[in-house]
Amino acid sequence: MNIFLKKPENHTSSLSKKYLDSERGLFLYFRHMAIPMQRRFTQLYEHKGVPRVFLHGNPHIENYTINDEGAAMIDFDRSRMGIYAWDIVRFLASISLKRHKQEENFLSDFVLEYFLEGYLRSFRAPHLPYKPISTKVNRAKFTVWHNSTEEYLQANIKWAKRMRNNPLNIDDQDINALLKGFLKSRDELGLLCSHQITEAGQATGTFGNQRVLIVLSPRNEGNSIFLDIKTVYQDPDNKWYYNPFKHHGIRMIEASKLYAPGIEQRLGYTTYQSKQYWGREIPPKNAKVKVNLNTSEQVDIAYSVGTQLGSAHRKSMQGDVEPIVLEKHLLNEYQTLTIVAHQMNKELIQAYQQYTQQLSRIKAG
């Protein structure tokens, strides 16, 4: 049985509509298959003896961001300890599904070569900064680009709009307790003396996690702060992939420090009413790669993410394994890993096609 099969009757009409989108439906389906894909990877590829690292966990193209602080792969909801090869397979699979033209081959040799070159460059010299993608290539893809938080809020887009669609009472005790817990983790409770809550709301993330959005405005002079505090993912541990941290918010913060230092701002965490939360400041300038890529753009992002993963994997290697062991393993297994990634993509595409066919029949009936 295909592990990637979904049943249309289990989904809301809104989600089904997104899956049917000819431009983005397949990739959204791919995004929702992170954990099933990881399970399938354990079936297709022998994990025993493969070097372990602190994984990004879900590196795919739409998790790549550009903001005022730089450009990097972020979104560390699924960061965990596990075999290094998972990050490589997941990322390369995502490029293959985001090409302008879908072809039978997995990826061009150029893309595969440049990813490997970038990975090895930073694995061998992890002190070097990773290389961001070209701003020139992605300037046309910027989606949120404002000079200040005030401008972002006035534009009423994305998280500002979602916050206002589901407003919360700014005097609500739960909201204030959640905020205090978050600020305490940052040793920043003094911020409540210089700022006050002026807006709050709640929203649901792409994968159903609950978010509390809070605007802190200066009492006198200064800039507003827009916070996003959300419940964390708590994927179950297994033999090969597991969380080593006492709090999932700490796990995400440590992953951000390792993979994308300085890119995400005002990171914090808290536990409230038995739920774990992670939070950040929403940047007024933020772009993600949402469109399909031509070959030169694929090469650009492959090299960039290769440098990011290579450095972080080297710095987080587990046990007494020498770096040369991982490097030799990658060089010996790289072609096999691309074949496995290609196989999983083919299975996923087949499942997606079956899903959309079933959904079309349901709609027609």
Side-chain angles (χ1 to χ4, degrees):
M1 180 179 176
N2 191 323
I3 197 173
F4 304 121
L5 284 173
K6 282 176 171 279
K7 293 184 178 180
E9 56 267 27
N10 294 337
H11 300 146
T12 64
S13 58
S14 174
L15 180 57
S16 296
K17 183 178 179 180
K18 291 178 181 178
Y19 280 148
L20 286 175
D21 186 289
S22 59
E23 292 293 324
R24 294 178 46 77
L26 173 59
F27 200 81
L28 179 62
Y29 199 90
F30 167 83
R31 288 184 61 188
H32 286 172
M33 286 294 168
I35 296 303
M37 187 174 178
Q38 197 173 79
R39 289 202 304 269
R40 183 61 175 143
F41 185 44
T42 63
Q43 296 171 357
L44 293 173
Y45 188 76
E46 176 58 64
H47 279 37
K48 186 177 180 180
V50 181
R52 297 188 183 195
V53 301
F54 183 24
L55 295 164
H56 178 289
N58 193 20
H60 63 73
I61 286 184
E62 292 193 0
N63 274 344
Y64 198 96
T65 193
I66 305 166
N67 63 31
D68 249 1
E69 308 303 325
M73 182 74 65
I74 62 166
D75 290 0
F76 300 100
D77 296 272
R78 294 206 147 95
S79 55
R80 296 202 280 179
M81 292 297 180
I83 71 163
Y84 81 94
W86 164 250
D87 274 351
I88 292 174
V89 165
R90 179 71 172 166
F91 175 66
L92 293 178
S94 80
I95 297 183
S96 183
L97 294 176
K98 290 287 283 187
R99 294 177 292 179
H100 269 315
K101 184 179 180 182
Q102 289 297 316
E103 301 173 353
E104 284 298 316
N105 68 321
F106 179 58
L107 283 169
S108 76
D109 289 342
F110 284 122
V111 176
L112 294 175
E113 288 169 6
Y114 270 92
F115 173 81
L116 183 60
E117 181 180 321
Y119 186 98
L120 291 175
R121 170 261 201 188
S122 289
F123 186 81
R124 292 166 178 167
H127 60 283
L128 295 176
Y130 56 83
K131 180 188 178 299
I133 56 175
S134 168
T135 303
K136 178 181 178 182
V137 170
N138 289 278
R139 177 66 67 180
K141 301 178 179 65
F142 287 177
T143 54
V144 179
W145 210 254
H146 298 279
N147 291 321
S148 67
T149 297
E150 284 77 10
E151 281 189 18
Y152 179 98
L153 293 168
Q154 288 171 6
N156 196 36
I157 57 174
K158 200 171 180 179
W159 296 116
K161 184 176 183 180
R162 295 189 193 183
M163 173 184 67
R164 290 161 180 157
N165 284 342
N166 294 283
L168 295 170
N169 185 342
I170 61 174
D171 296 319
D172 185 273
Q173 291 184 349
D174 292 333
I175 300 303
N176 282 270
L178 184 66
L179 175 61
K180 286 180 180 178
F182 168 79
L183 293 176
K184 184 178 180 181
S185 76
R186 294 186 41 77
D187 194 23
E188 205 174 16
L189 282 171
L191 194 62
L192 295 177
C193 297
S194 60
H195 290 68
Q196 61 186 340
I197 301 177
T198 52
E199 284 190 87
Q202 61 186 61
T204 302
T206 305
F207 299 99
N209 55 321
Q210 298 302 306
R211 315 176 91 110
V212 176
L213 303 162
I214 300 172
V215 177
L216 295 176
S217 298
R219 296 180 185 274
N220 295 307
E221 295 182 351
N223 298 316
S224 295
I225 299 167
F226 192 17
L227 297 176
D228 170 21
I229 305 175
K230 68 177 184 178
T231 53
V232 299
Y233 295 134
Q234 301 189 44
D235 296 325
D237 292 344
N238 58 53
K239 182 179 180 181
W240 304 112
Y241 302 97
Y242 60 93
N243 166 43
F245 297 93
K246 64 180 182 180
H247 193 289
H248 288 279
I250 296 176
R251 167 179 60 79
M252 293 169 64
I253 291 170
E254 291 304 312
S256 182
K257 291 177 181 177
L258 177 65
Y259 282 88
I263 297 296
E264 296 181 298
Q265 298 295 301
R266 206 171 239 111
L267 298 178
Y269 69 96
T270 190
T271 300
Y272 185 64
Q273 295 183 341
S274 301
K275 290 183 179 179
Q276 294 184 7
Y277 292 83
W278 167 91
R280 55 150 188 161
E281 181 175 357
I282 296 174
K285 293 182 179 180
N286 185 58
K288 289 196 173 183
V289 181
K290 297 288 187 179
V291 299
N292 292 337
L293 307 176
N294 60 36
T295 302
S296 65
E297 291 170 329
Q298 294 167 42
V299 166
D300 185 25
I301 198 167
Y303 186 86
S304 172
V305 175
T307 65
Q308 197 179 354
L309 296 180
S311 175
H313 286 182
R314 171 68 178 269
K315 292 175 181 177
S316 65
M317 287 186 67
Q318 300 297 294
D320 298 325
V321 180
E322 292 293 326
I324 191 63
V325 174
L326 190 153
E327 182 175 331
K328 286 182 176 179
H329 185 275
L330 176 58
L331 291 172
N332 289 334
E333 295 291 310
Y334 190 49
Q335 183 177 6
T336 300
L337 291 172
T338 63
I339 292 171
V340 170
H342 192 193
Q343 174 63 29
M344 287 194 289
N345 267 9
K346 288 190 289 186
E347 292 175 8
L348 186 140
I349 291 170
Q350 183 183 51
Y352 172 73
Q353 291 172 341
Q354 289 185 38
Y355 173 90
T356 54
Q357 290 168 4
Q358 292 175 33
L359 189 58
S360 296
R361 286 196 295 268
I362 291 172
K363 286 181 174 294

